Amino acid sequence: MLFVNLCMQGLLQGGIYALIAIGLTLVYGLLRILHVAHAGLYTLGGYIAVIVTNTTGSFSLGLMTSMLAVGLVGMVIYRLIYQPILDKPPFVALIASIGLFIALEEIYRIIFGPYGITFAAVPLQGAVNFAGTYLRECEIAAVLLATLLIAALTLFTKHSRIGIAWRATVTDPEMSQSFGVDVVKVRYLNFFIGSAMAAGAGSMVALMNNLVEPTMGSVPSYKALAIIVLGGLGNVRGTLIAALVIGIAETFGTIYLGDYLDRDSIAFAFLILVLMVKPTGLFAKG
Amino acid sequence: MGAKSLFKCFLPVAFTIALSALSALAMTDSPIKIGVNVPLTGFAASDGESALNGAKLAVDQINKAGGVDGRKLELVVYDDQASPKESVAIATKLIEKDKVAVGVSCSYSGATRAAAGVYQAAKIPYLSAYAIHPDITRAGDYVFRTSFVGEVQGRAGAKLVGDLLKKNRAVLITLNNDFGISLAAGFKEKAGEYGVTIVNEYTYSIKDRQFGPIVAKVKADKPDVIYATGYFFTAGPLVTQLRAAGVDATIIGQEGFDTQTFIDIAGTAAEGVIITTSLGRDSKSQETQDFIAQYEMMFNHKTDMVAASGHTAVKVAADAIKRAGTTDSAAVRDAIAATNLAASTGTISFNSLGEIIKDVQVQVVKDGQFHDFAVISDAKLLAPPTE
């Protein structure tokens, strides 16, 4: 039973990582920018979810507001921070992104205080026991949300017009532009969807921890980088699998390697191992 | 020479005398400066704010009561981001430029340990409010600590579990930093003596908030007590997740749990959690009661152990300067070493190494508040290191 419980915890953790990392890999795929500040939007998602839930009493409303608002903030960040420096070398955008991430953490601290905020009445905390295994309702909700969002993203990119244009732009920006794809629109869409997914993850983590603190994004900021490298930069399917693998590796690692390795180092140990064998990541694109 | 020219002649002299008298007056009236390094930004900012608020309240109380020997107390505060790199530069600045009489660290171990050497070299007394690393006071005879070293509190935890609660199957969930490890070391050192068996020990990093794997394993271990080290932001989620999984063992925490935010996070799961700490919420001591009430009034936030430690450190400094009757650093150092003060964290004195001697307060969460559970005052068990 311990084994099953650990597997479920691993998948849960992996699902959360996937929601964060997919936005990051989308941005990289399209613009070749390592968008470190993405984790700051994940934190913002948590803050908005808690504040709206505490004001209105509805977590679903909090979650939706959070995803929508953070999606818009993502677009604004693209417009104000990245667009003006797109023609500069990649490290310029990376430095801007790291700076923005640090600034966001301090802005949250100034606005919301250093202690973090909690739900006034935290919903979905009951435990569901099933044949010796257990999950909290909020954890089940997190897995459902992750599945739903990732499935929706897949359908969207495969079957909608703009989704197909998006994939085309990722593959060959110049060619798709000459076929009449509005590249700028695709970029905004990209930031909106990626940021909204991170906000979804932030909201669910806020629910599971009942705590949103200014530095909530610090671990995801670098762990998501490890995941997208492992998944083959820019590859959504690879990122999803890498996130689940890391989630499970960490879960078992915490119990069986915890005496030797910090949980956060497990992801990187795994990353180093994979890169030694396959330098392009598990699922590099063509 | 007429009266007028006489006056003219004397005017500059009189003016000079008046001026020097004024400046002499200003000298005695100039505030006594206490230097503070504290993390106000970065990951430790919540503890930093609490500790600094505690220190500010102490200054406010002292100044309202007439100051120290008629002189006001003034804090000179710099943000060290809990980083040794910052704290060393800050210590130098506080000593050389601000000319502080005493330094107080409202910061974590890394930053405090690094700054302690600078204060020792300059022979300016330095008080560590709540940093836990044993090496801090080893910097020399000008460095003191107004909170417990981890091992002492860990030993008190073992007594609490084995002797007061009569539990014997313990699982340790240890925060993997100097704080968690030194607490666990103290607990393990004395566990056997009190008949406590350690079934298993798990470690986690300060950044962890999801404890699913550990909780699943602890559930399988079936302990009757869990000695969990951590801070409120790790302990809140940990306790919630343990209880949600149906683990009903008694949970023992320490001063890192000691803030209302812990109870806000864990909600009903926090009920019955017992902690070893420095702040007795139901204490009869006037100093402690005043501190709790005035802190909430001044900052509109429930107080915590870190705030009480910042408060205590400033009170110790002020008390020593008052008894020394001067801000001469050697005299103040000797006065600190001879401290016997009723502070918000209890009646305190120091041993030869500058480590605090006081009782351990045991608190339990009941109806969403910390309340007194017991006091551990076994002098031999709680003896801090002397070298």
Side-chain angles (χ1 to χ4, degrees), chain A residues 164 198 207:
Chain A
I164 293 165
L207 194 59

Side-chain angles (χ1 to χ4, degrees), chain A residues 174-258:
Chain A
E174 278 168 28
M175 186 62 86
S176 48
Q177 198 162 16
S178 67
F179 272 90
V181 172
D182 185 346
V183 177
V184 174
K185 208 159 122 194
V186 165
R187 285 177 187 157
Y188 279 117
L189 180 76
N190 191 333
F191 270 90
F192 179 82
I193 290 179
S195 308
M197 287 177 83
S203 307
M204 296 319 289
V205 168
L207 194 59
M208 290 192 287
N209 298 351
N210 191 22
L211 174 66
V212 180
E213 49 199 325
T215 52
M216 177 169 130
S218 64
V219 173
S221 70
Y222 58 80
K223 203 170 287 171
L225 288 181
I227 289 169
I228 69 170
V229 173
L230 195 59
L233 284 162
N235 182 336
V236 173
R237 192 176 60 102
T239 299
L240 174 60
I241 296 169
L244 295 177
V245 167
I246 293 282
I248 289 176
E250 275 188 8
T251 302
F252 281 90
T254 307
I255 297 302
Y256 300 108
L257 299 173

Side-chain angles (χ1 to χ4, degrees), chain B residues 12-339:
Chain B
V13 180
F15 191 71
T16 314
I17 293 169
L19 205 68
S20 57
L22 249 175
S23 72
L25 209 66
M27 278 301 272
T28 55
D29 268 351
S30 72
I32 299 172
K33 287 182 182 173
I34 294 187
V36 178
N37 60 295
V38 52
L40 294 173
T41 56
F43 73 97
S46 55
D47 273 343
E49 179 150 320
S50 283
L52 182 61
N53 284 349
K56 281 179 180 164
L57 173 60
V59 168
D60 190 60
Q61 288 173 332
I62 291 162
N63 286 346
K64 274 188 182 145
V68 178
D69 292 340
R71 290 171 70 185
K72 295 259 183 237
L73 220 54
E74 183 187 299
L75 295 181
V76 186
V77 181
Y78 295 110
D79 176 13
D80 70 5
Q81 298 167 23
S83 150
K85 219 169 55 217
E86 301 289 327
S87 72
V88 166
I90 289 171
T92 311
K93 194 167 167 190
L94 285 170
I95 294 165
E96 310 232 325
K97 182 170 159 273
D98 297 309
K99 310 238 179 271
V100 298
V102 176
V104 169
S105 164
C106 288
S107 189
Y108 284 10
S109 290
T112 308
R113 219 174 136 187
V118 180
Y119 279 97
Q120 178 64 34
K123 296 207 178 302
I124 300 286
Y126 188 46
L127 297 159
S128 160
Y130 66 101
I132 204 151
H133 199 286
D135 282 354
I136 292 169
T137 47
R138 290 177 190 148
D141 56 349
Y142 276 78
V143 184
F144 298 84
R145 177 182 351 241
T146 57
S147 61
F148 294 116
V149 288
E151 279 83 359
V152 169
Q153 210 182 135
R155 298 204 289 261
K159 185 181 168 77
L160 169 65
V161 167
D163 197 30
L164 273 62
L165 298 170
K166 309 279 182 218
K167 307 271 184 192
N168 50 33
R169 275 178 61 80
V171 159
L172 269 62
I173 303 179
T174 304
L175 171 62
N176 193 7
N177 70 0
D178 57 350
F179 180 66
I181 288 170
S182 60
L183 284 163
F187 185 89
K188 285 188 274 193
E189 181 194 330
K190 290 286 168 186
E193 260 175 59
Y194 293 105
V196 180
T197 316
I198 293 165
V199 183
N200 239 325
E201 179 175 9
Y202 307 97
T203 55
Y204 69 92
S205 116
I206 190 166
K207 290 162 183 163
D208 286 351
R209 305 288 181 271
Q210 293 292 315
F211 300 94
I214 292 175
V215 169
K217 190 69 177 40
V218 169
K219 196 174 156 77
D221 289 338
K222 297 196 178 28
D224 56 16
V225 64
I226 296 168
Y227 188 73
T229 49
Y231 302 105
F232 67 90
F233 44 82
T234 58
L238 174 64
V239 169
T240 308
Q241 290 163 37
L242 281 167
R243 292 297 185 233
V247 177
D248 55 6
T250 307
I251 299 171
I252 310 295
Q254 312 72 22
E255 58 190 31
F257 287 45
D258 190 350
T259 149
Q260 197 64 29
T261 316
F262 162 69
I263 300 173
D264 290 345
I265 297 167
T268 52
E271 291 293 311
V273 170
I274 302 172
I275 64 168
T276 54
T277 184
S278 302
L279 183 60
R281 297 308 199 283
D282 307 322
S283 166
K284 300 274 178 293
S285 143
Q286 192 61 43
E287 176 74 11
T288 308
Q289 281 180 1
D290 286 352
F291 166 74
I292 293 173
Q294 290 177 17
Y295 186 95
E296 284 178 34
M297 213 156 66
M298 194 162 165
F299 302 107
N300 199 18
H301 198 276
K302 277 210 182 294
T303 190
D304 52 41
M305 164 271 162
V306 171
S309 301
H311 182 257
T312 296
V314 171
K315 283 289 181 84
V316 167
D319 170 68
I321 296 168
K322 195 170 189 171
R323 280 185 289 110
T326 163
T327 52
D328 172 68
S329 63
V332 173
R333 191 224 81 90
D334 292 345
I336 294 176
T339 293

